[in-house]
Amino acid sequence: MNNEMRLPVLTIDGLDWWTWTIDSKIKTSVQWMLLGIHYIICAVFPVVLMSRVFVYGTLKKGQPNFMMLDAANGRAEFLARARTVERYPLVIATKYNIPFLLNVPGKGQRVHGEIYSVDQQMLHFLDRFEGCPEMYQRTTVQLEVQDGDGEGENTLKPGSLVETFVYSTTTYQPEWLQKPTYENYDSKGDHGLEYVSGEGRSPQ
């Protein structure tokens, strides 16, 4: 049996530059070596999957649950302020005055918030924090960028349209649709419905 692999001749302008004949055992060794190098590169420079998330309530800067830049929860980078392209009802509900974005496009107002780029650890943390999928559901939303601090590939130009994840809800009480809606949530706003954090909640 012929154990040799003959590579085709490289020809440029009619000139034969070289002809390689490689023993099949050498070929196998080279393949394993390249595979090892691949694994080493992946271990030293792991691929970090990043996702964009739009926050509109207590997770915004200056609000009670702002923790987007806490490295203990994962990696997050502020990209821009934005508002929804469509109108949505942003309401304050329950005895704890929790902001909910009702997944009812076309009603309410164009909601203002912040866009973050987050890694998978932070995304999983947010899923747990938001009680997803029972309390909120992670869906996508179209946004109009207002201004931002992103650099390089994360730069979002004012006026551009982007799609991100958002935690909205379809599991709301019917009467919530009759509540006042807000375009820019602030726990200490003039609505008088200050958010009640976990420490301040009475036992069930």
Side-chain angles (χ1 to χ4, degrees):
M1 179 180 294
N2 188 356
N3 289 326
E4 295 181 337
M5 178 188 70
R6 183 171 296 276
L7 295 182
V9 175
L10 176 63
T11 302
I12 300 178
D13 293 332
L15 299 177
D16 295 345
W17 280 57
W18 65 75
T19 300
W20 280 359
T21 300
I22 302 178
D23 185 273
S24 60
K25 293 182 179 179
I26 297 177
K27 175 188 174 186
T28 302
S29 298
V30 171
Q31 289 174 332
W32 280 107
M33 180 182 70
L34 293 176
L35 184 62
I37 293 173
H38 170 76
Y39 282 123
I40 291 173
I41 292 175
C42 290
V44 176
F45 305 103
V47 176
V48 179
L49 298 176
M50 303 295 286
S51 302
R52 290 174 177 173
V53 178
F54 177 67
V55 297
Y56 55 84
T58 64
L59 287 171
K60 294 192 304 182
K61 292 179 181 179
Q63 298 304 309
N65 289 324
F66 176 64
M67 57 190 74
M68 298 299 294
L69 301 182
D70 187 343
N73 299 324
R75 178 180 167 187
E77 177 188 354
F78 172 77
L79 298 183
R81 280 169 284 275
R83 63 176 180 172
T84 60
V85 172
E86 292 194 78
R87 295 181 294 122
Y88 289 90
L90 172 56
V91 303
I92 300 175
T94 80
K95 63 181 179 180
Y96 302 123
N97 297 329
I98 299 173
F100 289 91
L101 187 69
L102 308 186
N103 195 350
V104 186
K107 295 183 178 294
Q109 306 187 49
R110 296 185 66 183
V111 177
H112 294 245
E114 300 165 353
I115 302 175
Y116 289 84
S117 176
V118 304
D119 65 6
Q120 292 300 296
Q121 180 184 344
M122 176 63 82
L123 194 62
H124 292 157
F125 167 80
L126 292 173
D127 282 350
R128 295 191 300 271
F129 178 82
E130 300 286 14
C132 181
E134 291 80 15
M135 188 172 181
Y136 294 88
Q137 296 80 48
R138 173 155 53 92
T139 58
T140 58
V141 66
Q142 290 285 329
L143 303 171
E144 179 187 358
V145 176
Q146 295 181 294
D147 56 55
D149 296 337
E151 298 180 353
E153 64 180 11
N154 287 328
T155 300
L156 297 178
K157 296 181 179 180
S160 63
L161 302 182
V162 297
E163 183 176 86
T164 74
F165 285 128
V166 68
Y167 292 91
S168 60
T169 185
T170 57
T171 54
Y172 54 85
Q173 300 298 318
E175 60 269 21
W176 291 5
L177 286 171
Q178 309 306 317
K179 289 180 173 292
T181 62
Y182 304 90
E183 66 173 3
N184 199 350
Y185 174 80
D186 183 353
S187 176
K188 296 184 180 297
D190 56 13
H191 48 67
L193 301 172
E194 184 173 354
Y195 175 78
V196 180
S197 64
E199 295 79 5
R201 297 179 184 180
S202 58
Q204 297 296 320

